Structures are given as C-alpha cells and as structure tokens.
Amino acid sequence: MGTPGQFDELTNQSPPYEDVDLFATDQPLWDAVAANGAAGDADALSAFGRCWGTAEMFELGRQANENPPCLQSLNAKDVRRDVVEFHPAYHLLMASSVGERLHSSSWTAAATPAAAPAQVARAARFYMAAQVETGHLCPITMTRAAVAALATEPALAAKLMPKIMSRDYDPRFEPWWEKTAIMLGMGMTEKQGGTDVRANTTRAVPAQEGYAITGHKWFMSAPMCDGFLVLAQAPGGLTCFLMPRFRPDGSVNALHFQRLKNKLGNRSNASSEVEFAEAFAWCVGEEGRGIRTILQMVQLTRLDCAIASAGLMRIALAQALHHARHRSVFQKRLADQPIMRAVLADMALEVEAATALVMRLCRSFDLAASDAQEAARARLLTPAVKFWVCKRTPAFVYEAMECLGGNGYVEDSLLPRLYREAPVNAIWEGSGNVMCLDVLRAFAREGEAARGVVASLAEDAAGLEDTRERAAAVITALAESKGEGDTRIGVEQLAILAGTAALNTNAPPVIAEHFSRARPSGMLGTAGMGAGDAAVLLERALPA
Ligand SMILES: Cc1cc2nc3c(=O)[nH]c(=O)nc-3n(C[C@H](O)[C@H](O)[C@H](O)COP(=O)(O)OP(=O)(O)OC[C@H]3O[C@@H](n4cnc5c(N)ncnc54)[C@H](O)[C@@H]3O)c2cc1C
C-alpha cells in the first residue's frame, strides 16, 4: 500500500471484483451446464460459486502464489528430508477442492466412471475453482486422472480408492495407509525428452513385492503427493509404475528432490526435478505397455487443461468487464465507448465458445461408455479442444489486462498472475504441435469414425455460415492430409466447427452465427457485431 497522502480520495477506480456468485453471474456457464445434462445440479453449483467467489477465496489465491513452496532437501545434520513446505493458503485451497471432490467425483469407489452428468458437474466446479487459483488444481487434476491408469490394476485400485474418494485433505507426510486421504502425481518427462517418452532412460528391475526404479525425472509436479505414476524401462519395455512416497515396510522411499523449478507462473504449485535411487514401485498394467496405460490418464489431464484455461479466460473477462463498467473516460463509462464495447463483446463471444466447447466435450466423456459416437468425439476432440482453448488464452488474458489500463499491469490486480499462468496449459500434457499430431493420427487410425464426428458437428452447426466449407476444410487438411505441415490449419478449423456446433445447441442463435463468422481471427474486437448483439453478449457474460 502506498503512503497516505493528501490526494487519497478515490475517484473513478473500480471496486474489487469479489463476493460474487461465480455461477449465477455466468449465463453461458449456466446454459452449457443445462444443455449437457447437469441442470439439476444448479443449486449446488450456485452454492459452490458463492463460496469460491468470496473475497477470502481470492485472497487465499493471492497468498498461495506470493508465498511459493520451499524444498527442504536435507536437515541440519545433512540427513535427507525430501519434503516440500507449502503456505497455509495452499493447504486451505486444497482442502476446499478436495472437500468438493474435484479430484474424485467423476469416479465410483470401484474405479469405474461415475454416472452422467458427473463429468459436466465436476467440470463446472473445476472451471469456477480455476478462476480463483489454478496452481493447486495440478494435484487435483493428476489425482483424478491417475485413477484411469490405476483401474488397470484392480487389486491396487481396491486398496487406494477409499483414500482417493475421501473428502478429507490430509497433507501429512506419512505412509499412505496411515492417512485418511491421498493425492497422486505423475513423472514422465525426463531431461532428454518430455514429448518423446519412448526415450526415457529411467530403469526398473523386479525386486521384492514390486520393482526398484533408478533414474531421474526433469519435471515432477506436486512432489508431496502420496504416490506417482512414473514411466520406466522394465525388462519388457517402457512400463507404467505407481511409486509411493513410503515403502511397504514404512520407511521413506528413495525419491530425492534435486530442486524446484523457478517457473514463470503456476507459483503456488511445486514442480520438482527428482532422482530415484532404487525407489520402490508397483507395476501398473502390463510390462512394455506403459504408454498405452498412461494414455488413459493423459486424456483426462488434457481435458482439465482446456477447462482450466476456459476458466482463466472467464475470470479475465469478468475483471475487464467489471472494470470497464466502473471506469469513465471522456465523460462516458469505458464499457459504453464503442471500440471498448466491441472488444469486450468479442471477448465475451470467445468465452461463450470456450465454455460451450469444454462442457460439450465433458458430455462426450459422460456418455462414452454407452455411446460409440460420443466415445469417438471424446477421442478426436480432446486434443483439438485443448490445442485451441489453451492457445487462445495468453492473448486473451493480455487483452483483458489492457482493458484495465495501467492498473491491469500492476501486481495488486489479478491480471499479472493470470497472464503468467496463461501459457502453461498449452505447454504441459502435450504441447500444441503434439496435440495437432494426435488429431492427425486419430484421422489416420479411425478414418470413418473421425469423419463421422466431423459430419455430426456439421449437423449440429447446420444452417450457419461457413459450416459446410469448414467441415470440408477439416477433411482436406486432416483426413486427406498430404503432410504434417498444414495440420494446425485443420485442427483450428475443427475446433471452431466444434465450438460453433456446441454454441448452436446451447446459446441464443446469434452467438453461434457471430462465432462461426468471426473466427479465426487473432485480433479481439474485430467480430463486427451490431450494438444489440454486443449488449446481449455482455449481459450474458456479467449482469450489469
Ligand atoms: C509447470 C510445469 C509442470 C510440469 N509438470 C510435469 C509433471 O508433473 N510430470 C511430467 O511428467 N511432466 C511435467 N511437465 C513437463 C511437460 O509435460 C513437458 O514440458 C511437455 O510434455 C513438453 O516436453 P519437453 O519440455 O521435453 O519439450 P519437447 O518434447 O522437447 O518439445 C518441445 C516443442 O517441440 C514440439 N514438438 C515435439 N514433437 C514434435 C513433432 N514431432 N513435430 C513438431 N513439433 C514437435 C512440442 O510441441 C514443443 O512445442 C511440466 C511442465 C511444466 C511447464
């Protein structure tokens, strides 16, 4: 805070955006939730939105990021400790998210998918939590996703699921069986490669009751998790393992943290470099099938990346719109200046699409077990949606920052933290090009099913300008690909087609029309919609 002075009277400054119901004030979220089968959850979602939208929760987010975690490698006598200490605010955020079961509500106690609309209902909560603080959502995401891999080992899953399903948050550094609740992380990336995990050099050899693993991981986030899914080279090839922090005999397992990454953003979350010195682990899935086993988990982490990025865009939009409604320039509210209105309305359009896209994708996950076409949608669209939504976020947050002028560039506002956080979801869990290659491979592998998904999207978006041409462009770039060079063109068009289709089924028709016509355009504020449509979008985004 600055020194009090004679010019302290505050004029023309916007009040803080806090103590809001993050659900009730967000019509696009409401519509997307209802269109995807979770309307019955509205009251509970509103209670969640009120709780997470309080000034106290935003303050926890600030504190957790301004007081990043510290590694304690050794004690005073040089004995290994290998623990990471977090600020109490981080623990409170974790307790809130675990209490709401953001880490487990899409599973049953038997490690099978929970009934619809579990994915949509969870995603709506995750989207709101991401508006407050995203760093702590890393272990939340990894824990829920890890169950997909664990499910391949029913005996192991049966032991761990009761601890994973708990609403308690138990951060004690104790053996997992002595805790009320546990969290899981993952370690795949090594120095020589994160994308190309086949190049992993970490070795696993059979040992008593399991395997002994020796090697390193270049990134392993949330190191105080109780166990980690790791990839290592076993005698039968690259294999997935679960490595607990404590050995079955109760001694501390040999995970030695070298340092914590000094990251651009995502500061509340610790990301470690770690060595394994004959660390104990259980095999998960068959030897040599590590990539296949872990891929089931990766689909879910990719989905969460897209949901969290949509949430980041939403909170950036809310901050920008709130500020513009309270700030005047040239005797007019900023929100009523025509160019600013065009920018804000275009941003609202972008968030409408991102929200509709991720919620519709969650619907596909909800229905995948019983509907082959929805399963194909989930497979094809997860990398496309992750690619598009996560890639749009950094530029979007920057534009929101500019709406706040100089205040947006100052750390007291939320925008610098959002800006630092914005790129990470595009980078981890499969970076942009990797997502595009994934979509291309899906077309090559399941050509008919992939074409069927494009046809069904075109049907959902029927009658809108550009739909037919866009669907054709997707097929040309991806199904009839002449090489990898044009893949981004096809994946971008696929994401826009899916966004238009999702909007067409859950928002007023004019919104899908504008989205289909105005995208792709990198520049926000160029959608060229009339004043009436802009007013509709802005009122839906945040009631005045
Ligand atoms: C904050 C943070 C936390 C993380 N936490 C974890 C964690 O908990 N566990 C974990 O295992 N990892 C973690 N990671 C690592 C992350 O998943 C990797 O950084 C990511 O997978 C990319 O791997 P890489 O860094 O080795 O880059 P590379 O694999 O070297 O890729 C570099 C670039 O090349 C592109 N590229 C790759 N292959 C191709 C190709 N064939 N054609 C064209 N372009 C290509 C990629 O898209 C990328 O842009 C974390 C990363 C960050 C930033």
Side-chain angles (χ1 to χ4, degrees), residues 138 142 186-196 217-222 263 265-266 269 271 424 427-434 437 484:
C138 173
M142 291 194 293
M186 62 192 196
M188 294 182 280
T189 307
E190 298 189 357
K191 287 187 185 104
Q192 71 284 352
T195 305
D196 184 6
K217 295 291 166 185
W218 186 236
F219 274 95
M220 197 171 84
S221 290
K263 296 176 287 186
N266 198 248
N269 179 31
S271 300
V424 75
I427 291 175
W428 66 15
E429 300 308 315
S431 315
N433 291 349
V434 177
L437 292 172
E484 293 174 1

Side-chain angles (χ1 to χ4, degrees), residues 43 69 250 300 339:
D43 288 346
L300 292 175
I339 306 183

Side-chain angles (χ1 to χ4, degrees), residues 306-325:
I307 301 167
S309 283
L312 284 175
M313 285 200 272
R314 160 69 199 173
I315 188 67
L317 168 67
Q319 295 275 343
L321 186 49
H322 173 80
H323 179 79
R325 282 179 175 156

Side-chain angles (χ1 to χ4, degrees), residues 63-310:
Q63 289 177 4
N65 282 277
E66 291 204 351
N67 300 280
C70 298
L71 173 62
Q72 308 289 340
S73 320
L74 307 167
N75 72 6
K77 311 280 185 224
D78 255 13
V79 176
R80 290 216 74 93
R81 287 195 67 213
D82 291 310
V83 295
V84 175
E85 289 175 355
F86 291 83
H87 189 266
Y90 170 88
H91 291 301
L92 288 169
L93 288 163
M94 286 295 290
S96 300
S97 284
V98 172
E100 291 283 350
R101 297 191 54 229
L102 297 188
H103 69 306
S104 65
S105 62
S106 60
W107 297 105
T108 69
T112 55
Q119 292 277 0
V120 173
R122 173 189 174 276
R125 289 168 172 81
F126 194 81
Y127 174 88
M128 289 188 268
Q131 295 175 43
V132 177
E133 210 290 310
T134 37
H136 84 286
L137 293 177
C138 173
I140 295 287
T141 283
M142 291 194 293
T143 303
R144 93 108 170 190
V147 176
L150 267 189
T152 58
E153 290 294 330
L156 191 55
K159 281 194 233 167
L160 299 181
M161 281 310 285
K163 309 274 184 194
I164 292 173
M165 296 299 277
S166 171
R167 280 181 191 270
D168 286 340
Y169 167 60
D170 185 346
R172 289 174 304 141
F173 186 47
E174 300 287 346
W176 64 266
W177 57 90
E178 287 177 9
K179 295 179 62 167
T180 54
I182 59 170
M183 306 298 292
L184 300 176
M186 62 192 196
M188 294 182 280
T189 307
E190 298 189 357
K191 287 187 185 104
Q192 71 284 352
T195 305
D196 184 6
V197 290
R198 282 186 179 82
N200 273 191
T201 59
T202 298
R203 299 263 146 211
V205 292
Q208 273 182 349
E209 297 176 57
Y211 286 73
I213 298 195
T214 303
H216 77 276
K217 295 291 166 185
W218 186 236
F219 274 95
M220 197 171 84
S221 290
M224 291 311 282
C225 284
D226 300 281
F228 299 87
L229 288 174
V230 299
L231 287 176
Q233 304 287 357
L238 194 65
T239 304
C240 179
F241 294 92
L242 179 68
M243 182 184 287
R245 284 302 307 274
F246 287 80
R247 293 171 183 275
D249 65 8
S251 60
V252 177
N253 204 3
L255 288 79
H256 299 155
F257 299 117
Q258 304 302 297
R259 60 173 168 167
L260 298 185
K261 300 287 192 185
N262 184 5
K263 296 176 287 186
L264 167 68
N266 198 248
R267 299 244 178 103
S268 64
N269 179 31
S271 300
S272 70
E273 287 169 24
V274 60
E275 285 184 4
F276 307 140
E278 296 187 355
F280 169 85
W282 295 284
C283 186
V284 176
E286 281 174 54
E287 256 194 34
R289 311 272 281 180
I291 291 180
R292 173 174 283 241
T293 306
I294 215 140
L295 267 184
Q296 306 178 44
M297 158 176 185
V298 166
Q299 277 291 86
L300 292 175
T301 53
R302 289 176 177 169
L303 177 61
D304 273 4
C305 285
I307 301 167
S309 283

